[in-house]
Amino acid sequence: MTEPVIAVRGLTKSFGSLEVLKGIDLDLMPGEVLGVIGPSGSGKSTLIRCLNMMEIPTSGRFTFRGQEVTSRFRGKGARIGTGELRREVGMVFQHFNLFPHLSVLDNITKGPRLVRGQSRAEAEALALDLLAQVGLADKARAYPSHLSGGQKQRVAIARALAMKPVVLLLDEVTSALDPELVGEVLAVIRRLAEGGMTMVLVTHEMGFAADIASRVLFMEQGRIAEQGSADDILRNPRSDRLRGFLSRFHG
Amino acid sequence: MYNWDFFTVMQSFDLFLIGVWTTFLYTVGSIVLGVIIGLAACFARLSRFAALRILSRSYQELFRCTPLLVQILWAYYALPMLLGVSISNTTAGLLTLSLYVGSFYSEIFRGGINAIDKGQREAAAAVGMSGVQSMTHIILPQAIKKMLPAFINQSVIQVKNTSLLYAISVAELTYMTSVVNSETYRPLEAYTLAAVMYFVMLFPLTQIADHFERRMRRSD
């Protein structure tokens, strides 16, 4: 039996008195593409941000490849720290968050050089290779302010991949894009899925989720309300609430 | 009609030069120390430890909300009585100027750091950078650009503030001008010359500040 990459038990997260996640159990298996859908405020963004400890869970068990994770940057004893976790669990943000003072190439090589200790030559070779994969080989020397939204997001994906992560977390990565730019980003994600990358994606692109997700979670009010294969969840929803939620997207 | 006579005061030009040089030294010294103090106070304010935050905040408010001249006189005349040791005017002057400007710098630094979108810190953390790496490689390089105009403006004020050391007989430009005045009885020429010298020192600095401000607006 294969071991889950990330296993979560009874995970809760509160901001002050507001409980956003109310007990999540989740196993993320290698090679799985997990789609997370749900209305805004359902906790899906908080959930994905807990998976690389960008938000520190309030309670619950969190293991990465069987190892428990502490909330501190450095691990202690058998438990690994958030720094070690985030090396292996990459994240792409809704608003790209590229480093505006660095060229595209430096955006991508900064992490591997600082965190993985790669040489400049090694890191740049990998970065150029990744830029070619996302179709931006000619933009290595450009600065983020000169890129379109779609190009920025593809650079952000390349930046995350440069760390050679085991898991990639994608938090509404097309939500801030003009509609005509969504396709180029989805194409990159599709290729990653076909290449066997383990991914969690929070998305409003239901058609896309149906296409590439091997499993879909429907979140509501801080809980996983329904889950199953993309077909089950998106094409044959059981609960009224999920049906209602989906109907707004088919409109 | 007043009979201008710059020749007499110019014979004491070496005294003016001593004054300019001393003003320069106190300015540079207090700016360097002020930056170190300001950085420390800034990071203390941003710290997760409440005690450090309160300490830093108290320091900032104490020095920002009392006049510099009072601080200088207090450090030179009152502090020695309190401590029972004598403090030279050099020490009292440099220390007070540094602490004073440091309190303003710390708020300029903090403002620059807080102006950086929190997504930048998250993106740095997401590739596994430590807090220090993220600060030095991602946040500060961007924040410094935002701080620069305010930093230079505060430093311009600092050059002028050194003139208050006149009150404790530090041989900076204003004090040396008073020496020239008492030797020549030519206050109009002496203080006009002093003003011109301050202007010559400061005008380039304000131009640099304007230049940075324009450049920043362009890149936004």
Side-chain angles (χ1 to χ4, degrees):
Chain A
M1 202 190 107
T2 48
E3 182 188 48
V5 188
I6 292 174
V8 160
R9 290 292 174 274
L11 183 105
T12 70
K13 174 69 188 178
S14 302
F15 296 102
S17 62
L18 181 71
E19 195 174 31
V20 180
L21 295 178
K22 300 169 181 169
I24 303 286
D25 297 323
L26 180 64
D27 283 330
L28 183 68
M29 305 308 285
E32 194 173 27
V33 176
L34 181 65
V36 182
I37 62 169
S40 57
S42 61
K44 57 191 191 303
S45 227
T46 306
L47 172 61
I48 198 174
R49 287 166 58 82
C50 280
L51 296 184
N52 69 344
M53 292 272 182
M54 198 58 75
E55 301 292 350
I56 305 295
T58 306
S59 68
R61 259 175 69 89
F62 185 113
T63 58
F64 175 76
R65 290 172 149 177
Q67 280 184 293
E68 260 195 81
V69 184
T70 74
S71 61
R72 298 151 53 97
F73 182 73
R74 272 173 231 291
K76 215 175 173 187
R79 310 209 289 171
I80 62 169
T82 58
E84 289 148 294
L85 174 74
R86 290 177 193 148
R87 258 176 240 183
E88 311 295 334
V89 181
M91 181 169 240
V92 182
F93 301 87
Q94 181 178 357
H95 295 288
F96 331 125
N97 300 355
L98 293 182
F99 307 131
H101 63 301
L102 299 177
S103 68
V104 163
L105 192 63
D106 289 340
N107 260 277
I108 299 172
T109 56
K110 204 75 183 175
R113 292 180 60 198
L114 279 178
V115 178
R116 292 243 189 248
Q118 286 183 11
S119 70
R120 176 187 283 273
E122 188 186 359
E124 289 190 350
L126 173 64
L128 290 171
D129 187 41
L130 287 167
L131 278 175
Q133 284 179 40
V134 299
L136 293 171
D138 55 329
K139 298 290 185 193
R141 301 282 162 201
Y143 279 80
S145 58
H146 293 120
L147 302 179
S148 73
Q151 291 172 330
K152 283 181 191 168
Q153 199 56 299
R154 285 185 280 156
V155 171
I157 293 172
R159 176 175 66 181
L161 292 176
M163 292 299 290
K164 298 186 177 149
V166 178
V167 181
L168 192 58
L169 308 174
L170 303 155
D171 188 7
E172 299 199 30
V173 294
T174 57
S175 299
L177 296 176
D178 292 335
E180 73 270 22
L181 301 176
V182 169
E184 62 191 66
V185 173
L186 293 186
V188 168
I189 299 169
R190 187 186 302 273
R191 272 202 304 281
L192 287 174
E194 286 163 3
M197 173 64 97
T198 309
M199 291 192 280
V200 179
L201 58 139
V202 170
T203 186
H204 288 126
E205 303 281 336
M206 294 304 153
F208 182 69
D211 255 12
I212 72 159
S214 46
R215 179 159 60 119
V216 173
L217 302 184
F218 173 59
M219 300 257 324
E220 198 175 44
Q221 292 174 357
R223 291 197 173 82
I224 298 173
E226 238 177 278
Q227 62 174 307
S229 71
D231 263 355
D232 282 351
I233 295 294
L234 298 170
R235 302 209 171 91
N236 306 302
R238 274 166 293 171
S239 70
D240 290 341
R241 278 203 289 241
L242 177 51
R243 255 195 299 276
F245 172 73
L246 290 173
S247 68
R248 267 174 278 139
F249 283 90
H250 297 312
Chain B
M1 181 67 187
Y2 183 77
N3 191 13
W4 291 85
D5 176 16
F6 276 103
F7 183 74
T8 313
V9 294
M10 282 308 240
Q11 282 181 318
S12 310
F13 198 67
D14 52 336
L15 296 182
F16 281 108
L17 284 185
I18 291 173
V20 168
W21 178 240
T22 310
T23 290
F24 175 78
L25 287 182
Y26 274 88
T27 304
V28 172
S30 65
I31 286 178
V32 169
L33 286 174
V35 165
I36 296 168
I37 296 167
L39 279 174
C42 163
F43 286 118
R45 265 300 293 271
L46 297 170
S47 157
R48 58 200 161 100
F49 300 110
L52 283 179
R53 289 202 301 271
I54 292 166
L55 195 72
S56 171
R57 186 76 198 263
S58 314
Y59 152 69
Q60 285 175 342
E61 298 309 338
L62 184 67
F63 278 87
R64 289 196 307 168
C65 301
T66 51
L68 178 55
L69 185 55
V70 172
Q71 294 172 17
I72 290 169
L73 293 172
W74 196 86
Y76 186 55
Y77 293 111
L79 189 58
M81 294 172 69
L82 212 59
L83 298 179
V85 292
S86 70
I87 296 175
S88 71
N89 59 353
T90 308
T91 309
L94 188 63
L95 205 69
T96 315
L97 281 178
S98 305
L99 285 166
Y100 180 80
V101 79
S103 68
F104 285 92
Y105 282 161
S106 65
E107 281 300 274
I108 293 172
F109 297 158
R110 192 172 69 96
I113 288 170
N114 280 345
I116 305 302
D117 183 70
K118 83 173 180 4
Q120 291 291 308
R121 204 166 309 207
E122 290 190 349
V127 290
M129 282 188 214
S130 68
V132 173
Q133 286 173 330
S134 148
M135 187 52 81
T136 54
H137 290 269
I138 305 302
I139 307 299
L140 279 182
Q142 297 181 56
I144 285 168
K145 232 175 84 177
K146 291 196 191 290
M147 298 166 191
L148 216 46
F151 176 80
I152 295 175
N153 277 328
Q154 189 62 48
S155 304
V156 167
I157 297 172
Q158 182 70 357
V159 179
K160 295 187 283 188
N161 279 346
T162 58
S163 67
L164 294 174
L165 296 182
Y166 164 85
I168 55 170
S169 310
V170 170
E172 47 69 51
L173 182 53
T174 304
Y175 180 80
M176 293 312 284
T177 307
S178 77
V179 170
V180 172
N181 176 43
S182 59
E183 282 182 2
T184 61
Y185 302 108
R186 284 273 166 195
L188 188 53
E189 287 84 351
Y191 285 112
T192 303
L193 204 58
V196 169
M197 286 178 171
Y198 276 116
F199 187 86
V200 168
M201 282 191 272
L202 286 170
F203 186 67
L205 262 179
T206 60
Q207 295 312 294
I208 293 171
D210 285 355
H211 167 78
F212 277 118
E213 235 172 298
R214 272 196 303 275
R215 221 181 57 175
M216 229 182 70
R217 237 175 283 135
R218 225 181 308 146
S219 73
D220 278 349

